[in-house]
Amino acid sequence: MHQRPLLNVRSLSLSPSVVSSRAPTPRHSPMLPPASFGYPADKYDAPLQMQHQQQLQQPTICGMPLKYVSLVTLAVQNAALSIVMHYSRVSIPPALAYSPATAVLMNELLKGSISLVIALLRSPVLQQPPLTRRKYINTPLLWWTAFGDLCAEIFSPDCWKLSIPAILYVIQNSLQFVAISNLPVASFQVTYQMKILTTAAFSVVLLRKKLTSMKWLALFFLAIGVGIVQIQSSAGSGHTVHKSSSSTGVGSAHEFHVHIMNPLKGFGAVTAACFTSGLAGVYFEMVLKGSKADLWVRNVQLSLFSLIPALLPIIWASTPPNSQGFFMDLFRNFGAWAWATVAIQVFGGLVTAIVIKYSDNILKGFATSLSIVLSFLASVALFDFHLTPSFVVGASTVLCATWMYNQPS
């Protein structure tokens, strides 16, 4: 058997010429790692790397992150909705005013239809690779299968849970029409921020959330700011709105075309709307946390359960003397401004779904503050809103409280 001879010191001795003739190798510097050696990532750098990857994976529009675009869009939508809704109610006499119940019904129908289309396009059957779709003979069968799966998900055993927030949202939307008809746009936007207070209260009661001392202080200042603004609005009780293009007003008195606002009635309506909004939002959050259903499917379920409470005021309404049928009476005086109000409401509902998915509370607070500022500027320019020191103090207090409440713990 061949055996390799043992090495000794004498056999390892090499001449200087041999050593100098060898090319340098990494063995000559054993304390230095090779170039291909990778150091393990520091445990403190891992969160930064994950955050960087998440930022790269976030969807963008024209190079801008979708969450920022959606928040700015939501702020503009909130301001535009208040302006258009207010003008659509005070620019015409009551005899020519459209029905708010019809606007609420059309809002739910359009929002539910759009959410249904989006949920269908997001169906897992349609998202499969082309190779796995070969079991379907033709395209209509593929779409029919996706629609059947979506219907089974919509009418799931727990879909009844959405009936409570659906009814509350219908009541909230109806109260908004009453409030915006009796309050200036800027006052309505500031007072409507009480929904932060009601949402926090219902979160503590229903979700068992614990608020920090900073958040409680922010809620206290929020209530003070809203109270200051409301005192300023009540000082001008019976405020009359006039058209900017003519010396005559518009609104409640048909022969004089004058709209007289009742701030006390508007404040009561917006307070009730804030309570329904807070309860509906917290309950909807409870439903979302307890299920894995898609957000768009939940929007479809909300719209379905909203149809019945939205139809009840229309069915129980008295028939006008010159009735032209149910359908014609439903869209009586439903002009361009009414359709604009519905379109902005539907658009806001869809943007809110995107904000819930991609944004956080701090950015939502920024959107709220921006919408208040835009509404104030529009009120001064379009509705001859008079700036008072009490309104500036109250609005500034509400803005600061909103910023404080949305700060991280």
Side-chain angles (χ1 to χ4, degrees), residues 36-368:
S36 61
F37 179 79
Y39 288 100
D42 195 343
K43 63 179 181 179
Y44 298 104
D45 295 336
L48 298 177
Q49 295 176 359
M50 293 178 61
Q51 183 179 3
H52 180 66
Q53 292 177 359
Q54 292 176 357
Q55 292 177 355
L56 294 177
Q57 294 176 357
Q58 288 180 354
T60 59
I61 297 180
C62 299
M64 298 181 62
L66 180 60
K67 63 178 182 179
Y68 297 112
V69 176
S70 60
L71 282 169
V72 174
T73 306
L74 183 61
V76 176
Q77 182 270 338
N78 286 334
L81 177 60
S82 301
I83 296 168
V84 173
M85 186 184 296
H86 180 78
Y87 183 80
S88 67
R89 302 305 296 170
V90 304
S91 62
I92 51 179
L96 301 178
Y98 63 92
S99 172
T102 303
V104 174
L105 177 62
M106 295 306 300
N107 176 27
E108 298 300 335
L109 283 174
L110 292 177
K111 187 168 60 177
S113 302
I114 296 175
S115 300
L116 180 64
V117 173
I118 296 176
L120 181 61
L121 295 177
R122 291 167 53 90
S123 174
V125 176
L126 300 179
Q127 298 296 328
Q128 292 178 355
L131 295 178
T132 60
R133 297 182 185 177
R134 291 183 178 179
K135 60 181 180 179
Y136 302 102
I137 301 175
N138 49 22
T139 304
L141 180 60
L142 178 68
W143 284 92
W144 181 254
T145 304
F147 183 74
D149 295 342
L150 179 60
C151 290
E153 191 173 1
I154 292 174
F155 298 99
S156 58
D158 64 339
C159 65
W160 63 269
K161 297 179 180 179
L162 274 299
S163 60
I164 297 177
I167 296 174
L168 292 174
Y169 279 132
V170 171
I171 298 175
Q172 172 197 344
N173 292 334
S174 301
L175 289 172
Q176 281 184 342
F177 281 95
V178 180
I180 200 66
S181 302
N182 293 278
L183 289 175
V185 176
S187 300
F188 169 77
Q189 281 283 55
V190 174
T191 310
Y192 196 51
Q193 300 314 309
M194 280 196 306
K195 63 185 179 181
I196 299 177
L197 178 60
T198 57
T199 303
F202 285 116
S203 299
V204 172
V205 175
L206 298 179
L207 299 179
R208 305 299 180 186
K209 286 187 177 180
K210 295 183 179 180
L211 302 181
T212 61
S213 56
M214 176 65 72
K215 291 186 181 296
W216 283 115
L217 185 62
L219 295 176
F220 174 74
F221 281 117
L222 176 66
I224 292 179
V226 171
I228 294 174
V229 172
Q230 181 56 31
I231 291 174
Q232 181 266 341
S233 299
S234 299
S237 181
H239 178 68
T240 304
V241 179
H242 298 277
K243 274 186 179 179
S244 58
S245 58
S246 63
S247 59
T248 59
V250 261
S252 60
H254 177 63
E255 58 272 15
F256 298 107
H257 295 256
V258 176
H259 180 85
I260 299 176
M261 294 189 298
N262 187 349
L264 184 60
K265 182 180 179 181
F267 179 72
V270 76
T271 303
C274 289
F275 272 95
T276 55
S277 175
L279 180 57
V282 172
Y283 191 91
F284 189 48
E285 183 179 352
M286 291 174 58
V287 174
L288 289 179
K289 288 184 177 180
S291 66
K292 297 182 180 180
D294 187 60
L295 182 62
W296 298 106
V297 175
R298 292 303 189 188
N299 284 336
V300 176
Q301 293 173 338
L302 278 175
S303 298
L304 286 177
F305 284 106
S306 299
L307 294 180
I308 295 178
L311 278 171
L312 289 180
I314 299 175
I315 296 175
W316 286 349
S318 59
T319 304
N322 54 348
S323 176
Q324 300 178 357
F326 177 78
F327 186 79
M328 296 301 296
D329 293 341
L330 185 65
F331 292 98
R332 182 187 297 270
N333 301 324
F334 214 80
W337 287 107
W339 283 111
T341 302
V342 173
I344 296 175
Q345 281 183 321
V346 173
F347 180 72
L350 300 177
V351 174
T352 302
I354 300 176
V355 170
I356 291 175
K357 185 174 182 180
Y358 294 106
S359 182
D360 54 11
N361 288 330
I362 298 178
L363 295 178
K364 283 190 221 175
F366 169 76
T368 301

